[in-house]
Amino acid sequence: MRIKYLLAAFIIVWNVKSFAQSGSNSFLQEIKTDILLPENAGKNVINLFSVQNTPIAVTENGVYKLNNQKWNGEPIGYGFRTAAIDLKENIWLATDKTIQNEDGGMQISLPNSAQNDTILYMFWENEKTLLVGTTNGLFSYNGGWSKITETEGKRVNSIVKDGNNNLWLATNDGLLKRTAKEWINLDDVLMTTGTKRSYFSLNKPGLANEILFGGLFSVGCIAGNGNNWMWSGADGLPFGPVTVIRTFNKTFWFGTEKGAIKKDENWHYYLGKRWLPDDIINDILPINDRTVWIATPQGISQIWQVEMTFDEKAGIYEEVIAKRHNRRGLVNISHLTVPGDLTTSKTKNEDNDGLWTSVYLAAECFRYAVTKDAEARENAIKTYEALEHLETVTGIQGLPARSYALATDSVEQSRSPHPKKWRPSPDGKWQWLDDTSSDEIVGHIFAISIFYDLVADETMKIKVKNLCVRTMDHIIDNNFHLIDYDGLPTRWGVWHPDSINNSTNWAYEKGLYSLEILSFLKAAIHITGNPKYEKTYQMLIQKHNYAENTVQAKMFGPFENSHSDDILTYFSYYTLLRYANVDAYLPLYIKSLERTWAVSQPEKIPAWNIITSILLAKDCDLNVALDELQKYPIDLIDWKMENSHRWDLHEDPIVARGGNRQATMPIPTPENEIFRWNTNPRQFDTGNGGLREETGTYFLLPYWMGRYYGLF
C-alpha cells in the first residue's frame, strides 16, 4: 500500500509541477490607490477627461489638470454638476441652471422657459452647437436657445453621436435616435418591453459603429452590423442601473450608484472602501490597459494592475506582519482606532492567539524549507518559542494558554459566550487566558510537528519533543481532557470516549474530535518514538472506534456547515495522514477526507485544496487555489463588504449559520471580506468596517506549502 500511495503522490506532484511551471511566474495584481487632488479642489469629482494625454479632473468648484505629476488649477465657482469638452478641447461646466467656459469669460443661462429645469448633461454637436439635456427635455444653443419639441417632458440623461452622424438620447421615456430625416423613439418600435423605456447612459466605443446603452436592468449594444447584445444579472451584470459607460480596447467599465464594474473575459465588481472612496460613481477614465481612474463624491480611486510574482506578494504580507501583527511573539490581527488608518494600528490579545500564531509558524517553516532564507528560519524559531511560552506560562504542564500578556499589560476581556478568565503565571510576571480550546491543541501540534521536521536542529528537536510529551501526557493522564486552572475540564478540551461516543452534547463533534486526538497521537509517536502513544492510539481505535468515527468528521446536510471547524479538520487531516501513510486505518482516513472535501470543494479555500491534493495524491482544484491566491487582496483591512443587493448572485433559501443571508456560491475573493479561514465565503454582507487588519497568513501558508510540495 505504501509503495502505491507514494508512487501516486509522485505522479500527481510531477504532473502538477510541470503544469504550474509551464506558464509565467508573474501575474497581474489589482491594487487601489487614492489620487489626491489639491485640498482646495474639494472631494466631489464630477467628471474625468484626458486631453492630449493630460488627465483632467472637474470638481464641483473647478478644473484641475495633472502636468508632470503636479495638479494645476484653482476654484472658479461652486455647484458644478456636469462638464463637457468642445471640439477645440475647451472645457465647459454647468450648474443646475447656468453654463460657463473654463475661465468664466462666457456664461450662459437656461432660457426663461426652462427655469424650472435642471441641467443633467452637455454635448457639443459641432463647433457652434451645444446640446443641453435637462430634466424636461433637450435644448440646443447656438447663440440663442431652441427647444427640441420631440423631447418635451423627457429627462435627458446622456447624449452621443454615432459614426453615421445620428444623434442618440438616453431618456426616462425611451431611447431616442435622430437621423437626417426624423426623430425615432426606439421604444415605440424596436426595444424590448423589459427595458421599461428607461435609459441612463450612452457611449460610442472607439471607431466602431456601435452605441452602448445603460438601461434600468441591463447594459446593451446596438450595432450597425446587427450584432446587438444585452447583458443583465443573468449574464453576470452585478448591479445597475449603469449610469456611466466607458471602454478601453476590449474592456468595458460601468459605473452605478453602488459601485463600479469591469467586464473583460470575466465580470469584476468594485464596491466599498477596499476599492472606492465612495460607492456612487460619477465618472470613469480608463488610463491604459491596466489602469483606470474612478471619480466619486469623495475623490478619485485608481485601480491598477501591477505585475507581481508570488514571492513578491508573500514578501508584502511578511512586512505587514512584522510591522503591525506581532505581539510579544504572538501573530494575529491588528486593530485600527480610526477605520482604515494603519497609523492607528495596535495589537490586542485574542481568544485564539495560539491557533493563529500556529498558522504563521507553519508558513515560515515551509518558507524556510523552500528558500533556506535565514529570516524565515529566525521567524520560525521565535514563533515556536511563543507557542512554547503559551504552555510554560500557565504553570500547568501540558496546558497551553489561549493567549498571554505581561502582568503589567492592559488586556481585553473575552467576549465569548463561554467565560474565560485571566490568570497569573507562577512567577507573577505574566498573565494568561484560560479555558483553552481544542483549537489551540490542533494548531500547536500541526505547527510544531512541521517545525520539528523542517526547521529544528537537534537542540530544538529536544525542546519540541519535551513540549509534545507534556501536552500529550496532560491529555492522556487527565482521561483525555484539558484540565484548567480551576481543576475542571475546559469547555472544548474534551476527547474522552464516553463523551465523544455517547453524549448528545458532543454528537456534532464526534468525528472531528476523534480525528483530532488520533492526529495528536500520531504526531507524538513520530516526534517522541514513545510506545505509550502508539498503545493509546490503538486503544482508542480498537476499543472505542475512533478511526471509524473520523469518517463523520464533516457533519453536513441536514446539519449546519461549521466553517469555523474546517481549519481544525484539515490541520488534523494533514498531521494524521502524513504520519499514517502505512497505517492499517488509512483507508478510513482517506474516506473521511474525501467526504469532507466533497463539502468544502465548492468553497474555493486554497489551503483546503492544497492539503487535499497532497493527501489524496491527486489534483483537487489546484488551478482554483492558484487563482484564489492571485486574487487575494493586497489591502488586508477588513472593510465592510456588501453583496446582498447584487443581481448576479443567487440567494440560497437556506440561511447560513447564525441566520445570515448567503449566496449559493462563494462571493469572489476581491469582493468579499478579507478573512476566509474559518468564515463562510458565501455570506452576503460581511466585514468589520475597516477597524482591523488581517495578517496575510491566509495566503502565506497555502502558498509556501504548495511550493514545498512542488505544486507551484
Side-chain angles (χ1 to χ4, degrees):
M1 180 183 292
R2 182 182 185 185
I3 293 175
K4 181 180 179 181
Y5 180 81
L6 292 179
L7 179 60
F10 171 77
I11 291 172
I12 187 61
V13 170
W14 184 85
N15 285 341
V16 174
K17 187 174 182 179
S18 299
F19 171 79
Q21 292 186 350
S22 65
S24 170
N25 187 40
S26 63
F27 59 95
L28 295 178
Q29 176 71 49
E30 282 196 320
I31 296 176
K32 172 254 187 180
T33 54
D34 295 321
I35 301 298
L36 300 179
L37 291 170
E39 188 173 343
N40 62 0
K43 293 183 177 181
N44 187 11
V45 180
I46 58 174
N47 285 103
L48 294 169
F49 302 109
S50 180
V51 175
Q52 299 179 9
N53 294 321
T54 298
I56 300 173
V58 181
T59 75
E60 62 183 1
N61 72 18
V63 178
Y64 301 86
K65 302 178 181 180
L66 184 63
N67 290 302
N68 298 320
Q69 305 302 311
K70 182 179 180 181
W71 288 101
N72 299 308
E74 295 291 336
I76 57 174
Y78 185 77
F80 299 126
R81 60 176 300 141
T82 189
I85 294 183
D86 65 21
L87 276 62
K88 295 181 179 179
E89 299 183 338
N90 300 308
I91 296 175
W92 294 76
L93 305 99
T95 64
D96 287 350
K97 309 292 184 185
T98 63
I99 300 164
Q100 70 174 67
N101 60 358
E102 183 179 348
D103 62 13
M106 182 175 181
Q107 303 218 5
I108 308 167
S109 296
L110 285 178
N112 291 333
S113 61
Q115 286 306 301
N116 292 326
D117 296 0
T118 298
I119 297 172
L120 301 177
Y121 200 87
M122 297 189 296
F123 179 81
W124 283 91
E125 184 171 14
N126 53 51
E127 291 187 3
K128 296 183 179 180
T129 305
L130 172 65
L131 300 177
V132 178
T134 75
T135 50
N136 193 35
L138 181 68
F139 291 82
S140 174
Y141 182 82
N142 189 352
W145 288 103
S146 60
K147 178 134 186 209
I148 311 303
T149 57
E150 291 84 355
T151 67
E152 179 74 35
K154 302 181 190 299
R155 182 184 179 95
V156 179
N157 295 313
S158 188
I159 309 169
V160 296
K161 252 188 178 182
D162 65 22
N164 294 321
N165 210 36
N166 298 311
L167 190 72
W168 296 73
L169 306 183
T171 82
N172 65 339
D173 185 25
L175 185 60
L176 275 60
K177 179 181 179 181
R178 187 202 65 189
T179 68
K181 297 180 179 180
E182 60 183 338
W183 280 92
I184 305 170
N185 190 327
L186 295 183
D187 280 76
D188 292 336
V189 292
L190 287 173
M191 302 299 287
T192 175
T193 56
T195 61
K196 296 188 179 295
R197 304 179 68 93
S198 293
Y199 304 91
F200 298 84
S201 54
L202 294 168
N203 182 270
K204 187 181 85 67
L207 299 176
N209 191 18
E210 297 178 335
I211 293 297
L212 306 178
F213 65 86
L216 194 62
F217 306 112
S218 62
V219 290
C221 171
I222 298 175
N225 60 7
N227 292 331
N228 308 325
W229 51 261
M230 191 159 69
W231 295 325
S232 64
D235 304 294
L237 181 67
F239 192 62
V242 170
T243 55
V244 179
I245 302 176
R246 301 290 180 260
T247 63
F248 194 94
N249 294 332
K250 296 182 179 180
T251 299
F252 298 89
W253 281 96
F254 305 126
T256 76
E257 293 293 299
K258 203 162 188 175
I261 301 162
K262 180 173 70 172
K263 174 68 173 71
D264 44 28
E265 295 86 0
N266 301 296
W267 291 93
H268 313 267
Y269 189 39
Y270 305 89
L271 181 73
K273 292 190 181 297
R274 178 182 299 159
W275 300 113
L276 303 167
D278 191 287
D279 289 336
I280 297 173
I281 310 303
N282 290 336
D283 204 355
I284 299 175
L285 177 65
I287 303 295
N288 53 47
D289 276 327
R290 297 185 181 180
T291 309
V292 67
W293 286 11
I294 301 175
T296 79
Q298 292 297 317
I300 304 171
S301 176
Q302 175 180 264
I303 298 175
W304 54 310
Q305 295 177 313
V306 179
E307 189 166 345
M308 184 179 291
T309 67
F310 282 104
D311 283 6
E312 289 170 340
K313 188 170 184 177
I316 292 171
Y317 298 141
E318 292 284 357
E319 290 181 10
V320 168
I321 289 171
K323 287 180 180 178
R324 294 187 290 274
H325 294 272
N326 192 308
R327 184 185 64 82
R328 306 197 186 285
L330 301 175
V331 175
N332 210 329
I333 61 176
S334 68
H335 296 263
L336 309 179
T337 305
V338 178
D341 186 349
L342 294 173
T343 65
T344 67
S345 171
K346 61 180 180 179
T347 56
K348 302 178 182 179
N349 57 274
E350 307 288 339
D351 282 4
N352 289 118
D353 275 340
L355 174 61
W356 299 112
T357 301
S358 298
V359 175
Y360 181 64
L361 172 57
E364 292 305 284
C365 291
F366 285 120
R367 177 187 168 201
Y368 174 71
V370 170
T371 66
K372 301 304 177 185
D373 189 322
E375 179 189 76
R377 185 172 189 275
E378 182 181 0
N379 289 345
I381 291 172
K382 289 181 177 179
T383 308
Y384 166 77
E385 290 172 346
L387 290 187
E388 188 178 60
H389 188 50
L390 280 166
E391 187 261 347
T392 58
V393 75
T394 68
I396 303 171
Q397 284 209 355
L399 176 70
R402 284 179 172 268
S403 184
Y404 60 67
L406 283 175
T408 55
D409 286 345
S410 175
V411 294
E412 296 282 321
Q413 297 301 318
S414 172
R415 290 174 292 178
S416 168
H418 305 294
K420 299 168 180 60
K421 296 180 180 179
W422 285 91
R423 308 292 188 176
S425 64
D427 61 9
K429 295 179 180 179
W430 298 86
Q431 52 185 320
W432 58 276
L433 190 61
D434 71 0
D435 194 35
T436 303
S437 170
S438 69
D439 298 32
E440 270 56 58
I441 308 300
V442 170
H444 287 219
I445 297 297
F446 169 77
I448 68 172
S449 62
I450 295 170
F451 178 76
Y452 180 89
D453 290 341
L454 301 184
V455 178
D457 58 19
E458 290 307 312
T459 301
M460 293 298 296
K461 283 181 184 290
I462 293 173
K463 291 170 69 70
V464 176
K465 178 179 178 180
N466 291 337
L467 176 60
C468 184
V469 167
R470 295 196 301 271
T471 302
M472 293 312 301
D473 284 357
H474 177 100
I475 294 172
I476 295 170
D477 294 347
N478 287 296
N479 207 10
F480 301 100
H481 293 89
L482 287 178
I483 300 301
D484 214 343
Y485 185 89
D486 57 7
L488 300 175
T490 67
R491 173 66 179 84
W492 297 107
V494 178
W495 300 273
H496 185 265
D498 187 51
S499 296
I500 297 304
N501 283 332
N502 301 319
S503 173
T504 55
N505 291 336
W506 290 92
Y508 192 88
E509 286 79 16
K510 176 178 179 178
L512 172 58
Y513 274 53
S514 296
L515 175 66
E516 288 179 0
I517 190 66
L518 294 182
S519 74
F520 303 162
L521 288 164
K522 269 299 183 184
I525 294 165
H526 170 76
I527 292 171
T528 72
N530 190 332
K532 167 185 177 180
Y533 303 126
E534 176 67 32
K535 182 179 178 181
T536 305
Y537 174 81
Q538 294 294 338
M539 181 272 294
L540 290 176
I541 292 173
Q542 295 174 18
K543 188 175 180 180
H544 299 289
N545 302 315
Y546 271 40
E548 293 181 7
N549 288 352
T550 65
V551 179
Q552 302 297 321
K554 186 68 173 175
M555 299 285 281
F556 187 56
F559 305 115
E560 66 182 11
N561 188 1
S562 174
H563 293 85
S564 61
D565 283 348
D566 285 349
I567 188 170
L568 310 181
T569 309
Y570 275 97
F571 281 11
S572 296
Y573 280 134
Y574 180 81
T575 303
L576 177 60
L577 268 71
R578 70 192 179 108
Y579 295 139
N581 59 349
V582 294
D583 198 288
Y585 308 100
L586 180 62
L588 288 172
Y589 304 149
I590 293 295
K591 183 178 180 180
S592 175
L593 176 56
E594 288 174 339
R595 286 186 69 256
T596 296
W597 170 242
V599 177
S600 59
Q601 180 182 13
E603 310 290 13
K604 299 183 178 180
I605 306 296
W608 310 160
N609 297 33
I610 290 165
I611 289 175
T612 308
S613 295
I614 293 165
L615 299 179
L616 294 184
K618 65 180 182 180
D619 185 342
C620 296
D621 292 350
L622 287 170
N623 60 323
V624 172
L626 194 65
D627 184 59
E628 290 294 308
L629 291 176
Q630 288 181 1
K631 291 178 179 177
Y632 194 62
I634 292 295
D635 180 358
L636 296 175
I637 297 172
D638 191 15
W639 296 109
K640 180 181 180 182
M641 304 301 286
E642 293 182 273
N643 290 286
S644 55
H645 61 284
R646 289 174 61 164
W647 298 346
D648 58 326
L649 300 177
H650 297 289
E651 182 169 357
D652 193 332
I654 303 297
V655 296
R657 190 183 192 194
N660 297 313
R661 296 171 62 198
Q662 63 178 348
T664 56
M665 295 295 290
I667 310 296
T669 297
E671 301 155 24
N672 203 345
E673 68 176 319
I674 199 69
F675 201 51
R676 296 281 296 278
W677 279 102
N678 61 345
T679 304
N680 180 3
R682 298 187 291 130
Q683 194 165 295
F684 278 130
D685 298 331
T686 56
N688 190 247
L691 286 171
R692 68 185 180 193
E693 183 188 41
E694 299 295 346
T695 62
T697 51
Y698 177 87
F699 174 95
L700 293 173
L701 177 59
Y703 172 61
W704 288 117
M705 179 184 277
R707 284 286 305 278
Y708 174 73
Y709 282 95
L711 307 183
F712 306 142

